[in-house]
Amino acid sequence: MPLQSRVNQYPGVNAHLQSYYQANTGWVGFHQAYIMQLEATLQEVLRPYGYLVDNTTSMQIKELPTDGEDAGRPYKIFADVGIRDFVPTKEHPPIIYGTGGVVALEMPIWESVHVDEEHFLRAIAIREMNPEDKRPGRIVTWLEVLSPSNKPGGSDYPTYLEKRISVIGAGINLIELDFIHWRGPVVAGLPHYLSHPRTGERDSDAMPYYIAVTNPHPTIYDGKATIYTFGPAEAIPVITIPLARDEKVGFDFGDPYRKTFSADARAYLVDYEQLPEEFATYNKRDQGYIRALMGTIAHHQDELDQGPFPVEDLKPPNGNE
Amino acid sequence: MRPLDRLLTATNETEFFVLICQLVNVSDEKPLSAKLASIKTPLGVGLQLTVRQAMRYRTNDGTLLQWDTTHVFTLDEQGALSWWMPNQPIITGLKDIQASLKQWWEKEPATPVLGLLA
């Protein structure tokens, strides 16, 4: 009998669920749902302050350059990115059926329109509201929830790096949420969580998840990037989001995560009696925490609606030792 | 009759609580939000209305936008009413709450919640 709960039993990112997505499919659905929760929550927080939030196709940022020879002319930072022909693969085989001379070919919609599934992923744009007509104005902050394809080793990684620079170069604040621990970070200089492919060594300081806040103000050269790293033992942190001018807002990214986890069927993908799939991709510190948390969950299995519960019998973290 | 007058002439705690719940039920474009929840109290259960306001604070490096809880009204199953504000003693009982409400409105009528009473 699996040990399940509609309530996320982790204080933050659910390593069991993330690992399920690592080993199977479904990350896209989670990503979309999380984006929608983020949008709704951010809108509620920011609307009285004169900001509007909308979700937009992640790979097709449009913005008006504010200076230079392109000033005032709309342009696509990435036109037609990632469009490719449908090639049947082992993961996405076509289904062919029919009778007589009629044959139907069934395939995922994203492939029928020659666009990769992950290119339907959406991001969030925070815009200033035009005071005159109260319509959405310029983008001041762009928020991305990274997908595996955006990260090193992913098919869109080079394009994503280019996009990062374009967003920051346009003077837009960039927030990146990275819960994909099984691929390296997109932010340069961060310790790699995964073991070195040849030596097998790990950086004991590395954490599996991070939120990066890049504020390119007053200029891209003088701005700064702040990286908040955390693991499965920590809550998703409250982050200060830079907005227009000198305005900023503290935002709890954990709240929409908890709501996303509890909605629909995804909470039931997790069985707390079993170790997460791909368990070896976590370091010893996090493996120790996950095992201890599973013991705590089992101890409280009749009251999981009141969770998550603190892990009390955890041995001191020992990195990779 | 002004909303303030309706609150000041409420004859019992339940009437006051229902009126204040209706008063803070405003559009999401206002810098104010209210949430009604059932809670456990020392003597049983009750209803709690939490009012939050969109605030702006000057800091060393900019302007912080932050939602703060500014009022909490609680009505328990015995009919006892209380009003909490930050850095203020909790006020209990209909008469004391009405008297304090009148004083606060005369002192700071422009604040978002009290502004709704005009």
Side-chain angles (χ1 to χ4, degrees), chain A residues 189-249:
Chain A
L190 270 186
H192 283 233
Y193 184 74
L194 292 178
S195 56
H196 190 280
R198 283 200 303 275
T199 64
E201 291 179 352
R202 286 177 180 268
D203 186 329
S204 60
D205 294 331
M207 301 295 262
Y209 318 122
Y210 66 88
I211 299 176
V213 179
T214 305
N215 183 342
H217 300 100
T219 70
I220 194 171
Y221 302 105
D222 300 319
K224 64 178 181 181
T226 309
I227 321 296
Y228 304 84
T229 62
F230 53 101
E234 286 87 36
I236 300 173
V238 175
I239 301 294
T240 299
I241 299 177
L243 300 165
R245 297 169 294 279
D246 68 345
E247 293 186 336
K248 56 192 175 178
V249 67

Side-chain angles (χ1 to χ4, degrees), chain A:
Chain A
M1 190 74 174
L3 183 53
Q4 299 168 309
S5 171
R6 198 167 180 94
V7 176
N8 181 15
Q9 297 300 316
Y10 281 79
V13 174
N14 188 300
H16 273 75
L17 184 65
Q18 295 300 123
S19 292
Y20 174 86
Y21 292 139
Q22 179 183 0
N24 303 280
T25 58
W27 166 252
V28 171
F30 179 85
H31 181 282
Q32 304 289 54
Y34 186 46
I35 287 279
M36 298 302 280
Q37 285 286 352
L38 283 170
E39 180 191 13
T41 314
L42 276 167
Q43 185 65 86
E44 193 179 315
V45 169
L46 291 175
R47 190 162 179 177
Y49 293 110
Y51 292 95
L52 293 173
V53 180
D54 70 75
N55 72 75
T56 184
T57 307
S58 176
M59 303 299 275
Q60 294 182 359
I61 303 170
K62 294 178 183 177
E63 189 56 57
L64 288 171
T66 53
D67 53 18
E69 61 183 21
D70 289 332
R73 187 163 62 84
Y75 73 107
K76 268 187 185 175
I77 293 176
F78 298 109
D80 301 328
V81 164
I83 294 177
R84 68 182 193 195
D85 290 332
F86 170 59
V87 178
T89 64
K90 188 178 171 188
E91 291 77 26
H92 296 298
I95 300 169
I96 301 172
Y97 59 91
T99 56
V102 178
V103 177
L105 173 66
E106 191 174 88
M107 67 178 86
I109 288 174
W110 56 82
E111 288 175 337
S112 73
V113 294
H114 298 271
V115 178
D116 185 270
E117 173 189 27
E118 289 194 4
H119 294 161
F120 276 115
L121 296 181
R122 303 186 81 80
I124 286 178
I126 300 175
R127 300 170 180 272
E128 281 190 291
M129 183 195 290
N130 286 327
E132 294 83 17
D133 58 7
K134 300 207 168 180
R135 293 175 66 85
R138 71 182 180 101
I139 297 173
V140 296
T141 302
W142 187 265
L143 195 151
E144 288 274 351
V145 181
L146 294 180
S147 66
S149 75
N150 293 145
K151 301 196 65 184
S155 58
D156 296 321
Y157 177 56
T159 308
Y160 185 77
L161 288 185
E162 196 180 337
K163 182 172 75 164
R164 289 188 85 233
I165 294 168
S166 299
V167 169
I168 298 164
I172 299 171
N173 304 306
L174 177 63
I175 315 286
E176 294 162 295
L177 284 74
D178 188 351
F179 303 152
I180 311 291
H181 78 279
W182 64 92
R183 286 194 169 164
V186 297
V187 177
L190 270 186
H192 283 233
Y193 184 74
L194 292 178
S195 56
H196 190 280
R198 283 200 303 275
T199 64
E201 291 179 352
R202 286 177 180 268
D203 186 329
S204 60
D205 294 331
M207 301 295 262
Y209 318 122
Y210 66 88
I211 299 176
V213 179
T214 305
N215 183 342
H217 300 100
T219 70
I220 194 171
Y221 302 105
D222 300 319
K224 64 178 181 181
T226 309
I227 321 296
Y228 304 84
T229 62
F230 53 101
E234 286 87 36
I236 300 173
V238 175
I239 301 294
T240 299
I241 299 177
L243 300 165
R245 297 169 294 279
D246 68 345
E247 293 186 336
K248 56 192 175 178
V249 67
F251 186 75
D252 178 8
F253 284 93
D255 178 55
Y257 185 93
R258 284 188 291 276
K259 289 176 180 165
T260 307
F261 180 89
S262 297
D264 304 326
R266 62 184 61 89
Y268 299 101
L269 296 172
V270 170
D271 178 4
Y272 294 106
E273 281 201 330
Q274 308 295 325
L275 287 172
E277 297 176 67
E278 314 285 355
F279 189 57
T281 57
Y282 294 94
N283 69 16
K284 289 284 189 290
R285 175 197 63 213
D286 293 335
Q287 287 182 4
Y289 173 78
I290 291 168
R291 286 182 192 277
L293 179 68
M294 289 169 64
T296 302
I297 294 168
H299 180 71
H300 292 279
Q301 60 182 287
D302 294 330
E303 50 179 353
L304 292 181
D305 285 352
Q306 309 298 316
F309 300 94
V311 173
E312 293 164 355
D313 56 344
L314 179 63
K315 293 173 184 171
N318 56 356
N320 297 316
E321 298 305 315

Side-chain angles (χ1 to χ4, degrees), chain B residues 45-60:
Chain B
V45 293
L47 292 173
Q48 191 164 73
L49 178 72
T50 302
V51 180
R52 299 170 72 230
Q53 290 175 221
M55 313 294 271
R56 288 176 189 266
Y57 298 103
R58 286 297 306 169
T59 65
N60 289 338

